[in-house]
Amino acid sequence: MRIVDKLARIDQEICLDGGLPPCETGCPLHMNIPRFLQLYKERRIEEAFESVILDNPLPASTGRVCQHPCENRCRRTTLDEAVNMREVHRLIADSILFSDRFDGLVSRVASRKLSPTARKVAVAGAGPAGLTAAFYLALMGHDVTVFEEKAEAGGMLRFAIPEYRLPKTVIRREVELIERLGVKFVFNTRVGYDLPLDDLAGRFDSVFISIGTWKELWPHFPGTELKGVYPALLFLESVAKNEGVLVGRKVIVIGGGNAANDSARTALRMGAEVTVLYRRERKDMPAIEEETMATEDEGAQYIFLSAPHRILGDADGKVEAIEVAKTRLGERDKSGRRRPVPTGEIQRIECDTVILGVGETFDAEFCRGSGMALKEEGTIVVDRSSLETSRPDFYAGGDLISGASNVSSAMGWGKQAARNMDESLMGEGRWGRIFPAFSYDQKLPEEPNKGRRHTSHSVSAKVRIQSDEEVETGLLPEEAWEEAGRCLHCDIRGRCATCVSVCPVLAVHPTKNGFTVESVLIDEDHCQGCTICVSRCPEHAIEMLPREHAFVVGAKIEIVTPEIERICRNAHFYPDQVVCYCHRVQAKEVVAAILAGAATPEEVAQATGARTGCGILCITGIIRLLEGSGLKLGKAAGVQWYGNPATIWKISGDITEKYPQYYVEADLMAVDAVFPKGEQQ
């Protein structure tokens, strides 16, 4: 039982503008993914490349190392697995960049350039954000100069990601395309030091700052000054530059991100035995999961719930061992992850090299000396829509404003900055002029393609650790063609209608024209203010407003009847056990609603106020109670079938690890006290 005093309200204009497919809204670059998939499906490879490159100027690089957030939004997961969009656009990019069609396609892209504007623009930093901004600013007709501290363009892509993940020929080819659009590069020049910002202001009409996060976070524990201790980025950069860095026979890598994994895999290729220490559990690692799996396959060992205590050295000041403090997980921190807490147990591990991959940060010294307004943590303050700083005509993006992030996110900042800088320089919006009109089939198939997901081919672990050759060889052309055919064409279906799918009480109604969702409306009489639609809306088009007249949902059950207890037992619940933790709805309340006529999870939600749209444990418990009462369920009102729910004794490890807040252990103890062991099936 709860009081409903809030109401969801959709901003129709934002919702209409956000009528994009979920994969596109999930992509920081907002690539038109269904378009290049369909063009490739029609075997129009050159047009598919043009579509890709105009959306993403580093497609072969991101096709290898992007963390593919698009796949997290893919609706194909409601049928089987997400479309492998990253691998398809990698193949499209490779097919042109490394073929005799490259020159022709460069000319084709260059033909999209607008007339010269006589405006001069400077970009500080030739990493993913800076290269992206330079690409689009050049297409807009501006005179673009990129200043880079290192001797070559590419940033982290060039100097931090190893050859076996991203060959240097790939990023060099992409930079060549950008350079052939007219972008000039000035290397070995550190903006703010070798080249003062005042000089840039005097020479250029507009400036974009994107110098990345090349500063290592330095952990505070004894022994980091010993010989044989390397920061991960410095280690990877030294290897990338062929500077002859040496590691010992036993290497310890500290950290759980991609830099830690890359360091471990690099050390393995140098002949070392490698152990990776991480202070939380595996599921908390920020690294791409497939990269962690590849690191394990190649022979690295992982020790979780372990934090460095101190590094021990010999008489010559060289590393000889590390002491590790075992941890347990405590309360959640600001990131939402449980904070590691030392248990007091110390373990000694023999080693002769320690690589610190604990994270990167921005150049605080540069930020303080820039004269621009700063946030409390020291990053540069920008207008979130324009990315302009407090200094007129100076823009900033990437890690410098967000902290350490990933490649596609940095590129998204560069793309947004270029669009806004051009509009400020020219006094009008000209963005759409650089994109051609693509014509392709936009008819929905009668049924989805039944093909299974194709994954990238890999060189065997035993072979690949013997060299720096690329380990992931991608998809074959025919596999990519089949993969493109798995797309459900959400771009043709109009607004995303995510709110329709997740509403537990069916209060959100779509209006359709054929397959296309033209609008979505909320029935104010049925909305129970649960906020699921707000949390799931990809365009943030929904807000919660106070209701003029509140009302009560559900009823407090004072007496547990034999029938309520029987159904609870059938579902392996005890009557007072909480089913929906968000609103503290108990099993006996759900059963009372079922006995009163509720026959689906949505009807239970309407009667009790339970949240079923979150799809975690609440709905599985409700399904168990419905089935325990003898009801058989068909297809869900949204996009998924009602699954086979877990019982309290058979909940998978994935659920218990991912959702520890759902008190599974406490429930087990309570159930054991109520039901004899023989009844636990």
Side-chain angles (χ1 to χ4, degrees):
M1 182 178 71
R2 67 185 182 89
I3 298 173
V4 177
D5 57 2
K6 289 184 173 60
L7 168 70
R9 181 67 55 81
I10 298 176
D11 186 317
Q12 295 295 335
E13 288 189 10
I14 296 176
C15 181
L16 179 61
D17 291 340
L20 300 174
C23 56
E24 187 171 346
T25 61
C27 172
L29 284 154
H30 296 296
M31 294 181 69
N32 191 326
I33 295 169
R35 182 175 67 198
F36 75 68
L37 291 175
Q38 182 60 32
L39 287 168
Y40 189 74
K41 182 182 175 184
E42 295 176 16
R43 302 189 188 275
R44 295 155 62 187
I45 183 67
E46 293 187 358
E47 290 169 274
F49 176 81
E50 190 176 11
S51 171
V52 167
I53 198 73
L54 287 173
D55 276 348
N56 174 355
L58 305 175
S61 292
T62 53
R64 288 164 166 81
V65 302
C66 177
Q67 292 180 288
H68 47 75
C70 52
E71 293 188 16
N72 297 334
R73 298 281 187 90
C74 181
R75 290 202 187 109
R76 181 79 198 201
T77 57
T78 64
L79 298 179
D80 41 54
E81 296 177 277
V83 177
N84 197 337
M85 312 166 213
R86 186 182 77 173
E87 291 297 336
V88 175
H89 96 249
R90 169 189 168 168
L91 185 138
I92 292 170
D94 286 357
S95 297
I96 299 299
L97 291 174
F98 302 103
S99 75
D100 56 8
R101 291 181 284 191
F102 175 68
D103 289 335
L105 264 294
V106 170
S107 298
R108 192 159 160 174
V109 173
S111 70
R112 302 303 311 169
K113 286 183 65 174
L114 305 185
S115 300
T117 64
R119 306 295 200 279
K120 290 186 175 184
V121 179
V123 174
L131 289 173
T132 303
F135 173 82
Y136 287 109
L137 287 164
L139 282 177
M140 293 290 192
H142 304 302
D143 183 353
V144 183
T145 303
V146 179
F147 297 92
E148 167 58 39
E149 175 185 356
K150 301 188 184 300
E152 192 174 343
M156 295 281 184
L157 297 173
R158 169 63 182 87
F159 294 104
I161 299 180
E163 179 78 11
Y164 52 83
R165 281 187 65 203
L166 177 59
K168 304 302 176 279
T169 53
V170 172
I171 183 63
R172 284 171 179 157
R173 194 64 155 170
E174 292 167 329
V175 171
E176 179 186 344
L177 188 153
I178 294 170
E179 195 167 19
R180 287 171 63 171
L181 292 180
V183 175
K184 297 183 286 292
F185 289 89
V186 178
F187 297 113
N188 302 308
T189 302
R190 193 178 180 192
V191 169
Y193 300 91
D194 304 324
L195 180 61
L197 296 183
D198 287 343
D199 287 1
L200 284 180
R203 292 168 51 189
F204 294 92
D205 299 296
S206 191
V207 179
F208 178 59
I209 307 290
S210 58
I211 60 173
T213 48
W214 281 96
K215 295 283 186 180
E216 301 263 8
L217 289 173
W218 198 253
H220 299 288
F221 58 86
T224 55
E225 76 287 349
L226 293 170
K227 297 174 186 177
V229 178
Y230 298 99
L233 286 186
L234 180 61
F235 170 71
L236 293 169
E237 183 179 357
S238 297
V239 173
K241 291 179 176 179
N242 297 314
E243 291 180 344
V245 62
L246 298 176
V247 298
R249 189 171 59 87
K250 293 187 176 182
V251 174
I252 296 291
V253 178
I254 299 170
N258 290 324
N261 278 342
D262 287 342
S263 298
R265 297 177 74 182
T266 300
L268 286 168
R269 282 161 173 75
M270 300 170 81
E273 298 175 19
V274 179
T275 302
V276 182
L277 305 179
Y278 184 54
R279 58 186 182 151
R280 290 186 170 98
E281 295 179 335
R282 183 192 182 107
K283 63 183 174 59
D284 299 309
M285 292 177 67
I288 302 174
E289 172 60 19
E290 52 258 43
E291 296 301 325
T292 302
M293 294 172 62
T295 308
E296 283 183 313
D297 290 343
E298 291 173 3
Q301 301 295 314
Y302 283 84
I303 301 179
F304 298 104
L305 294 173
S306 297
H309 176 63
R310 64 173 175 167
I311 303 172
L312 305 175
D314 61 16
D316 296 323
K318 296 179 181 179
V319 172
E320 66 174 9
I322 186 171
E323 288 184 346
V324 177
K326 303 301 291 182
T327 64
R328 61 175 177 80
L329 296 182
E331 298 297 319
R332 296 183 182 276
D333 60 19
K334 292 181 180 179
S335 72
R337 297 178 298 174
R338 295 171 68 187
R339 190 185 307 277
V341 179
T343 63
E345 179 185 352
I346 303 295
Q347 175 185 359
R348 177 187 169 105
I349 303 174
E350 302 297 322
C351 62
D352 42 27
T353 303
V354 176
I355 300 175
L356 305 173
V358 296
E360 305 82 39
T361 187
F362 53 91
D363 187 341
E365 184 181 346
F366 169 84
C367 291
R368 286 193 298 268
S370 69
M372 303 175 200
L374 305 179
K375 297 179 186 176
E376 184 177 346
E377 64 270 22
T379 54
I380 292 177
V381 173
V382 295
D383 180 284
R384 296 300 285 187
S385 59
S386 70
L387 300 187
E388 188 170 15
T389 71
S390 60
R391 184 168 186 164
D393 302 320
F394 273 70
Y395 296 75
D399 298 344
L400 200 61
I401 67 172
S402 65
S405 184
N406 56 56
V407 172
S408 57
S409 294
M411 293 179 69
W413 292 119
K415 192 172 187 178
Q416 181 182 346
R419 181 173 186 168
N420 293 323
M421 291 167 73
D422 174 75
E423 187 167 341
S424 176
L425 287 168
M426 304 306 294
E428 60 176 322
R430 309 186 309 148
W431 185 253
R433 300 181 195 176
I434 62 175
F435 300 96
F438 292 93
S439 177
Y440 50 93
D441 183 14
Q442 289 188 290
K443 293 180 182 178
L444 281 172
E446 291 186 7
E447 289 188 6
N449 182 302
K450 292 186 171 69
R452 302 292 294 183
R453 175 184 168 98
H454 293 279
T455 57
S456 174
H457 296 278
S458 303
V459 179
S460 70
K462 289 184 179 179
V463 172
R464 67 192 191 219
I465 62 170
Q466 303 302 318
S467 74
D468 286 330
E469 294 295 316
E470 187 170 16
V471 301
E472 295 290 334
T473 57
L475 300 178
L476 298 174
E478 202 62 19
E479 292 172 332
W481 181 82
E482 291 174 0
E483 194 65 24
R486 297 180 64 243
C487 176
L488 297 180
H489 297 283
C490 301
D491 56 321
I492 306 174
R493 300 172 190 267
R495 304 191 194 201
C496 74
T498 300
C499 51
V500 177
S501 300
V502 302
C503 179
V505 294
L506 306 182
V508 189
H509 304 291
T511 60
K512 294 185 177 181
N513 181 3
F515 288 104
T516 302
V517 176
E518 293 187 328
S519 65
V520 285
L521 301 172
I522 293 177
D523 184 336
E524 297 186 2
D525 292 333
H526 282 85
C527 175
Q528 293 187 2
C530 70
T531 75
I532 294 176
C533 59
V534 176
S535 63
R536 294 296 189 87
C537 177
E539 296 302 320
H540 308 291
I542 309 176
E543 61 177 338
M544 302 305 299
L545 301 176
R547 276 186 176 273
E548 186 176 349
H549 301 291
F551 60 90
V552 176
V553 176
K556 189 170 182 62
I557 307 299
E558 300 291 348
I559 300 175
V560 177
T561 67
E563 184 67 0
I564 290 177
E565 184 169 357
R566 182 188 68 79
I567 293 173
C568 288
R569 281 175 173 267
N570 286 345
H572 303 297
F573 276 111
Y574 58 94
D576 289 335
Q577 186 177 341
V578 173
V579 177
C580 172
Y581 289 97
C582 304
H583 292 148
R584 308 299 297 174
V585 178
Q586 296 173 304
K588 61 187 180 184
E589 296 177 80
V590 174
V591 175
I594 294 170
L595 294 175
T600 68
E602 290 80 14
E603 290 175 356
V604 168
Q606 290 169 351
T608 64
R611 289 175 57 154
T612 61
C614 51
I616 304 173
L617 290 183
C618 310
I619 191 169
T620 63
I622 291 171
I623 292 171
R624 280 162 47 198
L625 289 163
L626 284 161
E627 292 183 342
S629 69
L631 293 167
K632 298 297 181 184
L633 301 176
K635 192 175 186 299
V639 294
Q640 294 177 322
W641 289 82
Y642 294 125
N644 183 23
T647 71
I648 196 67
W649 296 281
K650 295 180 181 178
I651 291 176
S652 73
D654 289 343
I655 292 177
T656 58
E657 290 178 6
K658 192 170 185 180
Y659 305 107
Q661 69 271 36
Y662 285 86
Y663 317 127
V664 172
E665 291 183 8
D667 280 348
L668 277 170
M669 293 172 61
V671 173
D672 287 344
V674 174
F675 296 114
K677 290 288 184 182
E679 296 184 27
Q680 297 180 10
Q681 299 177 358

